[in-house]
Amino acid sequence: MDADTSQKGKLYDKQLTGRILTYARPYTKAFIAGFVVLVLMAFTQNMIPVLIKQAIDRFIGEGGSSLSAHQRIDGLTHLCVWIAVMAAGIFIFRTIKSYLMTWIGQRVVNDMRNQVFAKVLDLPVQYFDRNPVGRLMTRITSDLDALQMFVKNGLIGMVANGLLLIGVMGFMLYI
């Protein structure tokens, strides 16, 4: 592959991504809400190891040797409740994120399908004589389904994994 071909491929990807993002623009508020939920989910996921560290350091390990058995059990119970709260938070945030991303993906694909449908209606009859309708329908449905999966899982998954990685690194430095 020569330099011109690889450069064209990169420009095409930027253009395609830009076009997809124009369809997502009307749903900016939902994307922002999804981003906030992702941050909260990353925080709660990273808090559980910190709480476990505190349990070991303060109540199970040598740090707890100066405490009475009752104080140790109370402290561990308190931390276990916080771990359960964090686990519930992870479940709630993951559910909200999944709902939001599915909703956005459905809306973006619906907008694209409406635009594709309008475009197909404007095509001349000769186009359908030259191209099998089944191939056209398969192309439209499979391509739009792939775009929906990209919006729902790929784009947001990258951001979620990046936030989780940054959070893990931050909490590891803290610990």
Side-chain angles (χ1 to χ4, degrees):
M1 186 182 319
D2 60 354
D4 291 336
T5 307
S6 67
Q7 194 67 351
K8 286 179 186 176
K10 289 180 183 175
L11 290 175
Y12 179 75
D13 291 342
K14 280 184 180 179
Q15 290 173 350
L16 181 62
T17 303
R19 288 177 65 190
I20 291 171
L21 290 177
T22 59
Y23 285 100
R25 188 169 290 132
Y27 310 105
T28 303
K29 289 180 183 177
F31 267 115
I32 291 170
F35 182 75
V36 169
V37 170
L38 282 173
V39 169
L40 293 171
M41 189 175 78
F43 176 78
T44 54
Q45 282 181 319
N46 288 312
M47 275 304 294
I48 290 178
V50 172
L51 293 172
I52 292 171
K53 176 197 177 298
Q54 286 183 357
I56 292 170
D57 291 348
R58 292 173 56 193
F59 302 110
I60 297 173
E62 289 192 23
S65 61
S66 63
L67 300 173
S68 70
H70 182 68
Q71 289 174 321
R72 292 168 81 178
I73 289 173
D74 284 347
L76 286 172
T77 303
H78 182 75
L79 285 174
C80 284
V81 168
W82 274 108
I83 289 172
V85 167
M86 293 297 149
I90 292 168
F91 172 76
I92 291 168
F93 296 138
R94 187 172 287 144
T95 302
I96 293 170
K97 177 197 73 107
S98 178
Y99 175 80
L100 279 173
M101 294 310 111
T102 301
W103 185 83
I104 291 169
Q106 290 288 334
R107 296 297 181 262
V108 167
V109 169
N110 185 46
D111 294 347
M112 287 180 178
R113 281 192 173 138
N114 287 335
Q115 190 173 4
V116 167
F117 182 70
K119 175 73 174 175
V120 168
L121 289 179
D122 288 339
L123 291 173
V125 175
Q126 293 83 10
Y127 179 83
F128 298 104
D129 289 339
R130 286 181 274 127
N131 298 298
V133 176
R135 185 182 317 158
L136 178 65
M137 292 303 297
T138 301
R139 180 80 188 256
I140 289 171
T141 56
S142 65
D143 287 357
L144 288 175
D145 287 342
L147 282 171
Q148 178 185 2
M149 293 305 289
F150 170 73
V151 171
K152 179 184 168 193
N153 296 329
L155 187 64
I156 302 304
M158 279 189 328
V159 174
N161 290 337
L163 282 173
L164 190 59
L165 180 65
I166 290 168
V168 165
M169 290 170 42
F171 277 96
M172 282 175 60
L173 289 173
Y174 169 76
I175 290 173

